């Protein structure tokens, strides 16, 4: 494999998202990779009622579907699954593990779909083919040999269907552990924690119609143009209906400012729709102070819904008694009091406000209080459970919310008693390991078997060196995967790759072609039917893999075989165990159904006292010394988490390279650097370990002062394992204190 030079070309960032270029790029991915027929057939089935759910993101589909309910993002995700490249036994015979370890994530991903089960036996430097039967026997043997079921880890990424997720947590819990870390731990955990504690449910309270009918949409810490492109269509519609948009972000992301909808003539030919009416270039980590200030200004102006507060909430007096220190606010936000007042006016003038957010809020040390401060502002104005109003955490992975609903969680779910009764098992009640604890357990030899249901734990987790060493120390690692990634290369002493079908692929079992179900970011559950020919005849579905492992490990006390033959039998069990799923089978026909959400549906709150909770949060701002910078790691336009589709980041003006660090021109100068210079990033934390990531090109960029940005997963080496969000244990991927040094000479020459 030819190694790609990482030598970025830089031009001015784009001012709008999508447009013709977006469609062109999307179609290019769709048509170029899998071959024209397979590609376009796949595209036409995305997000249609009888098609498959787009594996791109968790943004909901409208009830009235257009012919093209997908975007560039979805097109790339589908093309990735439909690639013609194969990591087959010949590939693994040719490339040793030590060689593959030198490849970038981009190069690994391009090896394509894994076509057969593979094993790396202890001491060998190569994977070799293995039969499914032998592979399951190895897993079951290793699990049986453990002294304690809590020495095993069952990780899940967020693409897994409800059916596979339900069986997977059943397998782990029946085996005897709650060690179910998942990508949520690194993603929206802070949202789930903050919302559960304040409104009694860890999910967003709006529907797509609410978005369309909002008076004010606040988009904070999210880059929808790249990560949720279909959301732009909803924003455009809201805008036509008269909505105002307030964007809050340290970077002026293209999709927030202007949108050329490629699916309307206006978008293709005209100037597009101006989206943001106001833009606050907040300093990273400054949102808690910002929303506390907005709340204070609203109270000052009397823009308060006293009736709602008296009837439906508690804690207002304590919250309202909080004193605001404006010096602290301006320091934390980097904004002036006037700028914040403009934002407060927008809240005060809006009859219906929705706040949307994503990783820019959830991956900080103070993420939980920050989101609680947003809840405060929404409660203050009574903006919950009203048409066009509410709280909207925008989820990432297409079924990450559904996986949680199905019990993928290190905490035993509230319906654990029902699960025990249904399957006549006993489930431990003490919580298992979340992602960060799972890494600690591997590092310390307390966890010895790692099983990954999708995902790429080695690259997506914090403190790459510690995580990867932890995996390599395991007695057994098992990756249930579609495409090759770094987690296959950072193999345990014995390592298995169990290749599975993607969501786009036909899943035929004894009872015929199967559908699976997923839940989107707005709690709508619907069916997904794969249509494409599977990438290889040897692939098993995720459901079949879990069931065969369950059978091998636990026997047929749980009817694993029946589950695989007909997925309806799994949904029957889910309907009996998980609240909200009664009559599951019938209700997934057509466009599906929406799960109950008390605040949204009836303005009621499932908290201890039946009220929504105002919270009084102490403000403490991360202290960044003058000669240091605060670093965030984010996504380029050409990646899906650790899957790197290409080396460009079109909207930010980057081509052919990923090792860039975005920096305000004044910071470039203040740090004695020049645009284009190569630098090393060294993260500093109280454990005094210098974590390094080397050889990044400085890019002068409009980003808030004192803040820098670089791409995930290249930056994960810089995120200290023990530096997590208070209350949610989420790694602080967006607030790492770094020093920047000119690149060491020998590195620059590499
Ligand atoms: N194409 C594509 N789509 C995706 C993904 C992908 O990788 N590629 N990933 C999926 C997943 S799993 C997820 S979770 C979502 C992620 O979706 P996003 O959350 O949009 O993802 P990020 O790229 O991490 O962008 C974070 C945004 O927050 C801003 N930000 C950073 N720190 C702060 C802060 O302190 N305050 C404020 N106000 N803003 C801040 C950044 O400048 C950036 O615009 O996307 C999903 N969709
Ligand atoms: N520094 C930093 N770190 C981060 C983040 C950040 O912003 N900054 N974001 C965090 C977030 S929000 C998330 S969600 C995590 C993501 O963490 P993960 O979910 O662990 O990572 P992904 O890159 O999404 O996983 C991609 C792999 O999943 C496999 N895969 C794809 N589709 C399927 C499928 O249908 N079935 C199965 N079984 N496997 C499949 C493929 O082999 C592919 O290589 O990363 C987190 N890590
Ligand atoms: Mo995510």
């Amino acid at each position: 494999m030819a190694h790609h030079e990482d030598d970025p070309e830089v031009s001015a960032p784009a001012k709008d998202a999508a447009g013709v270029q977006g469609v062109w790029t999307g179609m290019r991915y769709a048509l170029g990779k899998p071959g024209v027929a397979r590609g376009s057939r796949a595209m036409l089935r995305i997000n249609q009622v009888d098609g498959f759910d787009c594996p791109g993101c968790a943004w909901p589909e409208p009830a009235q579907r257009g012919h093209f309910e997908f975007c560039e993002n979805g097109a790339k995700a589908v093309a990735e699954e439909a690639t013609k490249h194969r990591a087959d036994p010949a590939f693994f015979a040719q490339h040793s593990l030590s060689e593959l370890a030198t490849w970038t994530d981009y190069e690994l991903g391009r090896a394509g779909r894994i076509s057969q089960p593979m094993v790396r036996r202890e001491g060998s430097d190569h994977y070799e083919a293995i039969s499914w039967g032998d592979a399951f026997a190895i897993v079951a043997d290793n699990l049986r040999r453990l002294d304690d079921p809590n020495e095993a880890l069952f990780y899940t990424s967020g693409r897994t269907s409800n059916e596979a997720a339900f069986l997977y947590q059943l397998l782990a819990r029946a085996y005897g552990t709650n060690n179910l870390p998942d990508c949520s731990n690194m993603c929206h955990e802070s949202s789930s924690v903050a919302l559960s504690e304040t409104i009694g449910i860890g999910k967003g309270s709006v529907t797509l119609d609410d978005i369309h009918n909002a008076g004010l949409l606040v988009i904070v810490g999210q880059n929808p143009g790249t990560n949720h492109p279909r959301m732009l269509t909803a924003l455009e519609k809201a805008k036509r209906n008269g909505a105002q948009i307030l964007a809050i972000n340290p970077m002026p992301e293209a999709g927030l400012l202007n949108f050329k909808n490629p699916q309307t003539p206006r978008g293709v030919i005209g100037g597009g729709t101006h989206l943001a009416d106001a833009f606050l270039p907040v300093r990273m980590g400054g949102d808690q102070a910002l929303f506390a200030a907005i709340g204070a200004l609203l109270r000052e102006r009397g823009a308060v819904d006293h009736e709602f507060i008296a009837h439906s909430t508690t804690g207002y007096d304590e919250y309202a008694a909080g004193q605001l220190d404006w010096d602290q606010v301006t320091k934390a936000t980097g904004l002036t009091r006037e700028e914040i007042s403009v934002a407060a006016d927008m809240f005060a003038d809006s009859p219906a406000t929705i706040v949307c957010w994503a990783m820019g809020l959830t991956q900080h040390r103070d993420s939980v209080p920050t989101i609680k401060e947003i809840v405060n502002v929404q409660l203050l104005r009574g903006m919950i459970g009203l048409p066009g109003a509410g709280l909207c955490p925008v989820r990432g992975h297409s079924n990450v919310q559904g996986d949680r609903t199905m019990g993928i969680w290190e905490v035993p779910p509230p319906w654990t008693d029902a699960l025990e009764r249904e399957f006549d098992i006993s489930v431990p009640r003490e919580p298992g390991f979340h992602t960060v604890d799972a890494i600690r357990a591997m590092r310390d030899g307390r966890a010895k078997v790692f099983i990954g249901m999708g995902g790429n734990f080695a690259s997506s987790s914090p403190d790459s060196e510690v995580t990867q060493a932890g995996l390599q120390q395991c007695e057994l690692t098992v990756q249930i995967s579609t495409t090759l990634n770094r987690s296959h290369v950072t193999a345990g002493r014995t390592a298995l790759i169990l290749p599975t079908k993607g969501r786009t692929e036909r899943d035929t079992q004894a009872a015929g072609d199967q559908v699976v179900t997923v839940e989107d970011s707005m709690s709508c559950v619907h069916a997904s039917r794969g249509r494409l020919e599977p990438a290889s005849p040897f692939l098993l579905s995720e459901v079949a893999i879990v069931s065969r492992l369950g059978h091998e490990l636990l026997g047929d006390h749980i009817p694993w075989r029946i589950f695989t033959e007909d997925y309806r039998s799994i949904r029957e069990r889910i309907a009996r165990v998980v609240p909200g799923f009664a009559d599951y089978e019938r209700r997934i026909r057509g466009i599906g159904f929406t799960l109950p959400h008390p605040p949204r549906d009836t303005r009621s709150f499932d908290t201890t006292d039946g009220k929504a909770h105002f919270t009084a949060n102490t403000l403490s701002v991360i202290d960044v010394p003058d000669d240091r910078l605060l670093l965030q790691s984010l996504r380029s336009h050409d990646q899906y988490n650790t899957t790197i589709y290409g080396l460009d980041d079109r909207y930010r003006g980057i081509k052919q390279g990923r090792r860039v660090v975005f920096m305000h021109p004044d910071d470039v100068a203040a740090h004695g650097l020049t645009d284009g210079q190569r630098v090393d990033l060294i993260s500093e934390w109280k454990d005094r370990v210098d974590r390094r990531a080397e050889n990044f090109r400085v890019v002068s960029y409009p980003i808030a002062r004192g803040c820098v940005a670089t791409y995930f997963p290249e930056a994960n080496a810089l995120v200290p394992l023990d530096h997590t969000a208070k209350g949610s244990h989420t790694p602080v991927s967006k607030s790492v204190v770094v020093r920047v040094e000119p690149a060491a000479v020998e590195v620059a020459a590499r």
Side-chain angles (χ1 to χ4, degrees):
M1 140 112 28
H3 283 260
H4 298 263
E5 280 295 309
D6 196 291
D7 192 11
E9 284 167 35
V10 179
S11 56
K15 291 201 176 54
D16 55 57
V20 190
Q21 180 77 16
V23 167
W24 186 81
T25 312
M27 289 314 273
R28 195 175 55 140
Y29 273 91
L31 302 180
K33 269 202 176 170
V36 176
R38 189 166 147 92
S40 51
R41 194 164 67 239
M43 292 308 135
L44 290 171
R45 291 263 71 88
I46 301 184
N47 289 339
Q48 298 301 315
V49 173
D50 60 344
F52 53 83
D53 181 66
C54 179
C57 75
W59 189 256
E61 291 81 40
Q64 294 295 320
R65 316 266 158 115
H67 283 302
F68 297 100
E69 277 305 332
F70 68 96
C71 61
E72 185 182 345
N73 189 6
K76 288 175 182 171
V78 169
E80 184 74 16
E81 253 178 49
T83 173
K84 280 200 165 2
H85 295 275
R86 294 290 176 270
D88 54 14
F91 171 90
F92 287 108
Q94 193 185 345
H95 304 289
S96 68
L97 269 138
S98 16
E99 184 203 334
L100 293 173
T102 67
W103 290 19
T104 63
D105 293 89
Y106 175 55
E107 291 159 347
L108 289 168
R110 280 165 54 103
R113 294 288 297 272
I114 299 147
S115 64
Q116 286 187 46
M118 305 296 300
V119 63
R120 193 289 286 265
R121 296 189 196 277
E122 197 163 347
S124 164
D125 199 22
H126 281 271
Y127 276 100
E128 59 192 87
I130 184 173
S131 72
W132 279 107
D134 290 348
F136 290 125
I138 290 178
V139 188
D141 279 353
N142 273 271
L143 288 173
R144 263 191 230 108
R145 240 189 284 135
L146 295 177
D147 293 330
D148 183 327
N150 291 320
E151 291 176 348
L153 304 168
F154 294 82
Y155 176 71
T156 313
S157 173
R159 272 194 196 169
T160 295
S161 66
N162 283 354
E163 289 76 3
F166 183 78
L167 293 188
Y168 190 61
Q169 63 84 37
L170 172 62
L171 172 73
R173 295 196 161 108
Y175 165 68
T177 183
N178 285 309
N179 285 347
L180 287 153
D182 73 334
C183 70
S184 273
N185 296 143
M186 300 184 269
C187 184
H188 263 295
E189 196 75 82
S190 306
S191 307
S192 306
V193 170
L195 293 177
S196 299
E197 288 175 14
T198 52
I199 64 164
I201 179 168
K203 298 181 183 183
S205 77
V206 303
T207 64
L208 197 50
D209 268 346
D210 289 324
I211 301 272
H212 295 156
N213 296 312
L216 172 65
L217 284 156
V218 183
I219 298 165
V220 40
Q222 192 200 347
N223 178 21
T226 284
N227 297 314
H228 303 90
R230 285 181 302 115
M231 180 176 177
L232 299 187
T233 310
L235 297 184
E236 187 185 40
K237 190 159 175 186
K239 207 69 213 186
R240 296 271 161 75
N241 293 340
Q244 296 262 303
I245 293 180
L246 166 63
I248 304 172
N249 200 304
M251 298 170 89
E253 305 286 24
L256 290 172
L257 305 182
N258 196 15
F259 175 44
K260 292 183 178 170
N261 189 339
Q263 299 179 15
T264 64
R266 188 181 148 92
V268 175
I269 303 157
T273 307
H274 286 283
L275 289 181
D277 299 278
F279 169 62
L280 293 183
V282 71
R283 197 173 164 275
M284 275 149 49
D287 306 86
Q288 185 188 342
L290 174 62
F291 279 88
I294 290 173
L297 290 170
L298 289 170
R299 296 195 307 270
E300 217 174 277
R301 284 167 212 189
V304 171
D305 184 343
H306 292 292
E307 206 185 307
F308 174 77
I309 293 172
H311 186 260
S312 305
T313 72
T314 54
Y316 178 72
D317 291 341
E318 207 194 332
Y319 162 65
Q323 286 300 314
L324 196 69
D325 173 349
W326 273 100
D327 284 343
Q328 209 187 5
V329 170
T330 45
K331 181 166 175 271
T333 59
L335 302 169
T336 64
R337 188 170 176 153
E338 290 64 43
E339 287 171 312
I340 299 174
S341 295
V342 170
D345 286 341
M346 292 174 85
F347 276 87
D349 293 343
S350 159
T353 302
I354 293 175
V355 184
C356 303
W357 70 89
M359 297 306 101
L361 286 197
T362 63
Q363 298 174 332
H364 291 287
R365 186 193 63 187
D366 298 306
S367 289
V368 175
T370 299
I371 295 162
K372 286 183 171 176
E373 217 54 75
I374 290 180
V375 175
N376 283 338
V377 167
Q378 289 294 76
L379 294 179
L380 199 62
R381 304 265 311 129
M383 292 296 169
I384 191 156
L386 286 183
L391 295 156
C392 183
V394 182
R395 307 273 160 181
H397 266 304
S398 50
N399 198 37
V400 63
Q401 188 161 316
D403 289 348
R404 247 322 142 77
T405 307
M406 291 297 119
I408 300 293
W409 194 14
E410 74 274 10
V411 179
W415 37 262
T416 302
D417 290 349
L419 184 73
E420 288 183 319
R421 279 195 304 274
E422 181 69 28
F423 295 101
D424 191 20
I425 54 172
S426 87
V427 175
R429 288 305 195 274
E430 62 282 8
F433 297 143
H434 49 68
T435 292
V436 169
D437 273 347
I439 297 165
R440 292 181 179 128
M442 285 190 279
R443 177 196 61 193
D444 302 341
R446 287 177 286 122
K448 296 173 180 158
V449 174
F450 175 97
I451 304 179
M453 172 56 84
N456 180 4
F457 197 83
S459 283
S460 61
S461 297
D463 228 336
S464 314
E465 211 175 296
V466 180
T467 297
Q468 295 176 10
L471 286 166
Q472 285 168 321
Q473 235 169 273
C474 283
E475 279 166 19
L476 175 70
T477 53
V478 183
Q479 306 290 349
I480 302 165
S481 318
T482 49
T483 50
L484 189 68
N485 66 45
R486 185 155 317 278
S487 299
H488 306 120
V489 180
T490 54
R493 294 224 296 267
T494 302
L496 287 163
I497 309 178
L498 306 183
T500 190
K501 292 176 192 173
R503 192 179 296 159
T504 58
E505 291 169 332
R506 181 175 304 125
D507 185 0
T508 311
Q509 304 291 352
D513 284 354
Q514 301 296 311
V515 301
V516 293
T517 53
V518 293
E519 174 184 341
D520 67 31
S521 201
M522 295 179 181
S523 306
C524 174
V525 179
H526 60 90
S528 171
R529 180 190 293 276
R531 297 287 184 159
L532 299 184
E533 205 48 47
S536 143
F538 298 106
L539 305 184
L540 292 183
S541 72
E542 291 179 345
V543 164
I545 291 173
V546 178
S547 296
R548 285 189 58 180
L549 180 56
H551 168 79
E552 186 79 26
L553 180 66
L554 304 169
D556 273 334
H557 172 68
I558 294 168
W560 302 107
R561 204 180 309 247
I562 296 170
F563 290 155
T564 311
E565 286 169 1
D566 188 347
Y567 297 179
R568 285 177 298 191
S569 65
I570 310 170
R571 288 189 286 274
E572 239 170 65
R573 303 299 188 119
I574 295 172
R576 285 209 289 268
V577 172
V578 185
F581 285 82
D583 208 7
Y584 197 0
E585 197 61 43
R586 188 187 57 79
R587 290 197 295 160
I588 59 169
R589 291 193 205 129
I591 59 168
F593 63 100
T594 302
L595 288 168
H597 189 290
R600 180 197 65 209
D601 302 337
T602 54
R603 277 195 147 186
S604 57
F605 301 92
D606 198 3
T607 54
T608 41
D609 54 7
K611 310 269 186 194
H613 295 169
F614 280 97
T615 49
N617 307 295
T618 357
L619 184 60
S620 81
V621 180
I622 293 188
D623 186 38
V624 186
D626 281 346
D627 52 353
R628 301 292 187 262
L629 294 155
L630 197 59
L631 174 133
Q632 65 156 320
S633 50
L634 41 52
R635 292 151 174 80
S636 82
H637 196 66
D638 265 1
Q639 75 183 82
Y640 195 93
N641 297 340
T642 69
T643 302
I644 313 301
Y645 301 132
L647 300 177
D648 299 350
D649 191 5
R650 196 172 76 233
Y651 296 153
R652 298 193 185 107
I654 305 297
K655 273 201 172 128
Q656 280 308 309
R658 290 180 50 84
R659 298 192 85 83
V660 291
V661 54
F662 299 99
M663 205 184 281
H664 191 283
D666 295 347
D667 283 325
V668 175
H671 286 255
L673 303 167
T674 52
D675 182 86
Q677 185 178 351
R678 292 284 180 151
V679 294
D680 294 343
L681 306 171
I682 300 105
S683 101
E684 295 180 345
W685 195 56
K686 64 183 182 195
D687 65 1
R688 303 192 169 276
V689 175
D690 267 359
R691 295 175 176 79
R692 305 179 71 91
E694 288 157 348
N695 208 26
F696 291 80
R697 182 200 190 282
V698 172
V699 176
S700 287
Y701 199 85
I703 179 172
R705 278 299 304 270
C707 303
V708 291
T710 187
Y711 299 130
F712 144 58
E714 284 82 351
N716 287 41
L718 299 172
V719 184
L721 183 65
D722 294 327
H723 193 189
T724 55
K726 292 181 203 152
S728 68
H729 313 290
T730 299
V732 294
S733 309
K734 298 220 179 5
S735 42
V736 180
V737 177
V738 292
R739 67 172 194 271
V740 180
E741 289 178 356
V745 179
E746 43 304 339
V747 177
R750 188 170 66 187

